[in-house]
Amino acid sequence: KAGVTQTPRYLIKTRGQQVTLSCSPISGHRSVSWYQQTPGQGLQFLFEYFSETQRNKGNFPGRFSGRQFSNSRSEMNVSTLELGDSALYLCASSPGQGPNTEAFFGQGTRLTVV
Amino acid sequence: AQTVTQSQPEMSVQEAETVTLSCTYDTSESDYYLFWYKQPPSRQMILVIRQEAYKQQNATENRFSVNFQKAAKSFSLKISDSQLGDAAMYFCAYRRRGSNYKLTFGKGTLLTVNP
């Protein structure tokens, strides 16, 4: 069974640009969550999508948005990039319902804003 | 709001010995899950062990076990017979039970294993 796939693995963008990150969850999983990881703030929850609907949202500005497609693949978009958006962005895949509670993570996308 | 605290930024252990990583959390919920994740230099977050709050028995996975003290809101991870491959950042995480898959993480503990 294929794991969680995040693309691209590395990205360099200029301040003010926008960026789109992609996450393909494990087959059959309907929940996709996004996390930002920085040395200073640690791992912070961005949002969770389940069956194409945002089910939960963290405390991030509106520049951070996401969506989920009918095949459960998810994209995350950051507009008007700031230097502080440089981080490792992790995507987690889960069944989304039922007793199985495990979240499986992708290898992340390392975003550098210059 | 739930918070997770890992008070040990760094720990080291000799190969083959035992080490315990600490985690405390704060929540007003009575039903939740607790996890330990490992993040090696490859950055892949790997689930090490999971504990359901309504289960009194401490979870065990091979060399990894937890000491779950619900009243004290404490959830420590014990690694026995440490191996070089155990070297990584370890994160404690909390998730409320229900249709909410948000994980709240601690700041992490960097574990070094010395040969």
Side-chain angles (χ1 to χ4, degrees):
Chain A
K1 202 175 197 182
V4 181
T5 304
Q6 288 189 247
T7 56
R9 293 287 307 276
Y10 301 91
L11 209 47
I12 300 175
K13 288 288 188 179
T14 303
R15 193 171 46 183
Q17 289 186 313
Q18 74 165 17
V19 67
T20 299
L21 314 182
S22 178
C23 173
S24 292
I26 291 170
S27 178
H29 284 190
R30 295 163 64 189
S31 168
V32 174
S33 299
W34 290 89
Y35 294 84
Q36 182 195 63
Q37 185 175 20
T38 59
Q41 298 298 317
L43 280 149
Q44 293 186 288
F45 172 79
L46 280 153
F47 29 65
E48 184 218 354
Y49 285 86
F50 176 76
S51 293
E52 302 179 67
T53 301
Q54 188 180 84
R55 191 160 67 170
N56 203 358
K57 189 177 189 305
N59 190 24
F60 276 81
R63 300 185 297 106
F64 292 82
S65 63
R67 60 177 175 169
Q68 186 178 35
F69 302 95
S70 57
N71 62 357
S72 293
R73 188 178 72 85
S74 177
E75 288 182 347
M76 188 195 113
N77 185 274
V78 187
S79 63
T80 319
L81 283 165
E82 300 177 359
L83 297 179
D85 297 332
S86 295
L88 179 66
Y89 289 88
L90 291 166
C91 159
S93 160
S94 303
Q97 59 185 10
N100 191 337
T101 60
E102 293 185 25
F104 296 86
F105 284 81
Q107 286 193 286
T109 294
R110 171 76 66 186
L111 172 65
T112 302
V113 182
V114 298
Chain B
Q2 295 82 21
T3 58
V4 178
T5 302
Q6 293 179 249
S7 59
Q8 305 152 317
E10 297 184 28
M11 291 281 285
S12 65
V13 63
Q14 291 297 126
E15 199 175 0
E17 295 192 345
T18 296
V19 65
T20 298
L21 308 184
S22 301
C23 172
T24 57
Y25 58 95
D26 187 26
T27 183
S28 58
E29 303 287 336
S30 60
D31 203 1
Y32 47 87
Y33 303 98
L34 295 165
F35 306 87
W36 278 98
Y37 279 90
K38 167 186 176 181
Q39 187 179 40
S42 68
R43 309 178 318 197
Q44 179 97 45
M45 292 281 279
I46 301 164
L47 180 64
V48 174
I49 199 164
R50 176 185 74 183
Q51 175 78 44
E52 291 152 331
Y54 64 87
K55 290 186 177 178
Q56 291 187 338
Q57 187 173 5
N58 289 324
T60 305
E61 287 286 342
N62 300 314
R63 299 182 294 106
F64 299 87
S65 61
V66 299
N67 184 2
F68 173 49
Q69 301 289 327
K70 191 173 184 180
K73 295 180 182 175
S74 170
F75 183 60
S76 61
L77 174 70
K78 185 172 83 170
I79 306 174
S80 304
D81 185 26
S82 296
Q83 300 175 0
L84 294 177
D86 295 333
M89 185 72 96
Y90 285 80
F91 293 95
C92 178
Y94 164 100
R95 192 202 128 202
R96 193 181 72 186
R97 188 180 181 90
S99 62
N100 179 342
Y101 272 68
K102 172 187 175 182
L103 287 166
T104 300
F105 286 91
K107 294 288 191 185
T109 296
L110 179 62
L111 178 66
T112 302
V113 181
N114 301 310

